[in-house]
Amino acid sequence: MNKLLDNLRGLGRTKLAALAGIAIAVLALMAAVALSGGASANAMLYSGLSLGDSAKIAAALKAGHIPYRIAEGGHAIMVTPGARDQARLLLAEKNLPAGNSTGFALFDHQNPLTGSSFLDRINETRAIDGSLERTITLIHGVRAARVQVVLPHRAAFSLTTQPARASVMLSLAGAVPLDQQSVNAILNLVASSVPGLQPDNITIADDRGELLASAGQASSLLLNAHEAAIRSQTERALSHRVRDLLTAAIGPGKARVVTTISMNFDRTNRLATRYNPKSQVVRSRQTSDSTSDRVDGQNKTVSVQNNLPGAKTTSNQPKRQDRRNRSSRVTNYEINKTVEHVVHAAPTIKRLSVAVIVDGVTTTTGKGAKAKTVWRPRSAATLAQLRKLVEAAIGYDKARGDVVDVQSLRFAPPVPIPAGPSFIARLMRSGAMIPVLRTLITGLIGLAALFLVFKPMLRKVLDETQREPDASTMIDAPEADALLEVESPPTSGLLGPATRRLGAPNGLEHVIAMIEENPEASVSVLRHWLTEEVAA
């Protein structure tokens, strides 16, 4: 122990201070690693979880000895990057996260022998609700959803059937409200999943109490969204067409085009019948001829003789005979007519407005330091030509009230886009560099301790071991002092056999002989003397 303390004292104050600093840094790093449990849990495992799923996942990870961390108020679970795949496999085995709904998996454990029509209908409704909830939560911005569906039902002894209805309650993930496109997607998803359900019978609300879609207005919302999409698509197409034309004429980036369209989305159903009196066609023709004869002057005397069988009547009056011939012809004519049934289902453009601004012409005058840039607008003739091109490209109709305005204005200089974070900054934010830096710092501290502290200590210990004399040949310093108390020249420490041949005194020869017989002990005595001189 004393020898170790002597070696530490021999290092000096600078090396001792460096050794102490390295030891403190290593101990602090080891303590930080021990307290943090190794690698930090900064890799996202699942987010947007319900509290029930978070509790089940935390229990499963704890049972599997996987370090985890709860974030986002209990709605997210984070693990170490190396354990993320293992954690997902473990949770998939336990069917986690399961969500708040079961869906049609509800029928997996149903006994068909113990059911009834009422229970089957309730379970079917629950299964539809659960499946819709799990589908709606996949939409970006929706954290959780509750769906209540009422299937079509006809009561006993009733001739009418109640239509299907549905209500959807959304829990949003952030502070930004849900956009109209997502609301329309939910309306279509729910309406397509339930037989006989119309979008007008669906109500959607969020957890802030805002009504996103009410019953009776869903169809109008979908129609308005469809109309807005058609109008926006038409405006973009016309703007792109005009921009390509101007780019070819004045160069890229020299024109800005804005198109506004007023469209008529009314559906027109028109039935028209037109008659042409100048065009006649014989449809049918009927001819009828009849002839009738009548004779007058017969004896109309009433007597017994006239009433006898076979009696002949005589008359003295003259006879008159009439014959009538009757002929009729009927001809039916059909007048030519045209029946026109027109249905306008596609929207029509009511009015079109196009605003175009073009950059002017920039010229540079002078050379070198005296160079000057001059901007001037384009001429009226050029603007008139560009206007005609734009009118031809969009199908300009003056009777419709279309407006085209082309002006030459100076464009504002572009604003420089700030550079994004560097690659190292992105790595630091992602957390992937923290384990690498931790390992690198630990290695550097270990190498510094090895080369600055342990290597010099080991070298000194090895030197001391090689120089340590044998106890059997070692003599005490007082004895050596007594043996060397003779007159000798100043160079007696380096004498050898040549001195004995020159006739050195007996005392000096005795000392030389002792040095030759015990060289290690002699070296130890000399080192002891040198140490005393340095201390003095």
Side-chain angles (χ1 to χ4, degrees):
M1 186 64 182
N2 294 331
K3 191 173 184 179
L4 178 61
L5 294 176
D6 295 337
N7 293 332
L8 291 176
R9 293 190 188 96
L11 293 175
R13 296 180 179 180
T14 304
K15 291 184 178 180
L16 286 176
L19 178 61
I22 293 173
I24 292 173
V26 171
L27 291 176
L29 183 61
M30 293 176 62
V33 172
L35 292 176
S36 61
S40 60
N42 53 10
M44 181 65 69
L45 181 62
Y46 288 109
S47 62
L49 299 171
S50 62
L51 295 179
D53 283 343
S54 298
K56 294 177 182 178
I57 292 175
L61 294 177
K62 185 176 181 180
H65 302 287
I66 297 177
Y68 66 92
R69 181 169 61 88
I70 299 176
E72 297 181 6
H75 296 284
I77 301 294
M78 304 184 73
V79 296
T80 57
R84 180 164 51 185
D85 296 337
Q86 180 184 358
R88 288 182 175 175
L89 291 176
L90 177 64
L91 296 178
E93 182 182 0
K94 299 180 179 297
N95 195 20
L96 291 174
N100 297 328
S101 57
T102 306
F104 283 93
L106 181 68
F107 294 96
D108 293 342
H109 306 287
Q110 294 289 334
N111 188 359
L113 300 178
T114 60
S116 63
S117 60
F118 177 75
L119 292 178
D120 292 342
R121 186 177 180 85
I122 293 299
N123 289 334
E124 181 184 3
T125 305
R126 292 176 58 192
I128 294 175
D129 294 345
S131 298
L132 288 175
E133 289 171 3
R134 298 177 66 178
T135 303
I136 292 173
T137 52
L138 297 178
I139 297 177
H140 179 70
V142 179
R143 175 182 297 172
R146 291 294 303 272
V147 180
Q148 295 180 352
V149 175
V150 179
L151 297 177
H153 176 67
R154 184 173 66 87
F157 307 104
S158 177
L159 298 179
T160 60
T161 301
Q162 296 181 358
R165 298 183 300 274
S167 61
V168 182
M169 185 68 181
L170 303 178
S171 177
L172 304 182
V176 180
L178 201 63
D179 56 350
Q180 188 61 41
Q181 185 177 1
S182 300
V183 175
N184 296 335
I186 295 174
L187 282 172
N188 286 280
L189 283 174
V190 177
S192 302
S193 301
V194 181
L197 180 59
Q198 299 296 328
D200 286 337
N201 295 331
I202 302 175
T203 302
I204 302 177
D206 58 8
D207 53 356
R208 301 181 182 91
E210 182 178 357
L211 190 62
L212 303 179
S214 60
Q217 298 180 358
S219 296
S220 61
L221 290 176
L222 294 177
L223 183 60
N224 293 335
H226 179 65
E227 294 176 356
I230 293 177
R231 183 168 54 251
S232 177
Q233 183 178 2
T234 308
E235 291 175 352
R236 286 197 301 268
L238 289 177
S239 298
H240 183 71
R241 186 185 306 173
V242 174
R243 191 180 300 110
D244 289 344
L245 184 64
L246 296 178
T247 299
I250 62 177
K254 297 292 185 179
R256 298 292 184 270
V257 181
V258 177
T259 305
T260 304
I261 300 177
S262 177
M263 305 186 74
N264 184 10
F265 292 92
D266 297 337
R267 293 177 177 268
T268 304
N269 189 354
R270 184 179 62 186
L271 179 62
T273 304
R274 298 183 180 90
Y275 293 94
N276 187 6
K278 297 181 180 181
S279 177
Q280 297 179 357
V281 179
V282 177
R283 181 177 182 182
S284 63
R285 178 176 296 172
Q286 183 179 1
T287 302
S288 177
D289 297 330
S290 62
T291 303
S292 62
D293 296 333
R294 189 179 66 175
V295 180
D296 293 337
Q298 296 181 358
N299 188 9
K300 298 181 180 180
T301 304
V302 179
S303 64
V304 176
Q305 187 179 358
N306 291 335
N307 291 327
L308 291 176
K312 293 182 178 180
T313 61
T314 60
S315 175
N316 294 325
Q317 296 179 358
K319 297 180 180 179
R320 187 179 61 184
Q321 184 177 2
D322 293 334
R323 175 172 288 182
R324 297 180 179 179
N325 295 327
R326 185 178 180 182
S327 177
S328 64
R329 290 178 176 84
V330 178
T331 303
N332 295 323
Y333 294 92
E334 187 72 26
I335 299 176
N336 187 14
K337 68 176 181 178
T338 303
V339 179
E340 183 180 7
H341 188 195
V342 180
V343 177
H344 291 285
T348 58
I349 297 177
K350 297 172 57 179
R351 189 170 181 269
L352 185 62
S353 301
V354 179
V356 180
I357 57 174
V358 294
D359 198 3
V361 180
T362 303
T363 57
T364 303
T365 59
K367 295 182 180 180
K370 297 182 180 180
K372 185 178 180 181
T373 303
V374 179
W375 180 92
R376 58 182 178 84
R378 298 184 182 270
S379 62
T382 303
L383 294 180
Q385 292 180 355
L386 295 178
R387 176 187 173 86
K388 291 181 179 180
L389 290 176
V390 173
E391 290 178 355
I394 65 173
Y396 176 79
D397 188 0
K398 185 177 181 180
R400 193 171 53 188
D402 295 348
V403 177
V404 176
D405 188 9
V406 180
Q407 296 185 10
S408 179
L409 299 175
R410 187 170 186 176
F411 288 1
V415 179
I417 301 176
S422 62
F423 178 73
I424 298 177
R426 291 197 299 269
L427 286 179
M428 294 297 292
R429 291 180 181 178
S430 63
M433 286 293 294
I434 295 178
V436 177
L437 292 177
R438 185 184 295 109
T439 305
L440 183 61
I441 292 173
T442 305
L444 291 177
I445 292 175
L447 291 176
L450 178 63
F451 286 101
L452 297 178
V453 178
F454 297 107
K455 185 176 180 180
M457 291 179 60
L458 182 62
R459 181 182 299 172
K460 189 168 184 178
V461 170
L462 291 176
D463 292 341
E464 292 292 338
T465 304
Q466 293 176 359
R467 296 176 181 178
E468 185 176 357
D470 192 2
S472 60
T473 59
M474 192 168 182
I475 59 176
D476 295 334
E479 182 180 356
D481 293 339
L483 292 175
L484 294 177
E485 287 179 357
V486 293
E487 293 182 359
S488 60
T491 59
S492 60
L494 299 176
L495 297 178
T499 308
R500 295 195 297 270
R501 289 194 297 269
L502 295 174
N506 294 332
L508 184 59
E509 292 179 356
H510 181 66
V511 173
I512 292 173
M514 291 181 60
I515 292 174
E516 291 179 354
E517 293 177 358
N518 303 302
E520 295 180 357
S522 303
V523 171
S524 178
V525 172
L526 292 175
R527 185 183 294 112
H528 180 68
W529 289 346
L530 293 174
T531 303
E532 288 181 352
E533 291 178 0
V534 171

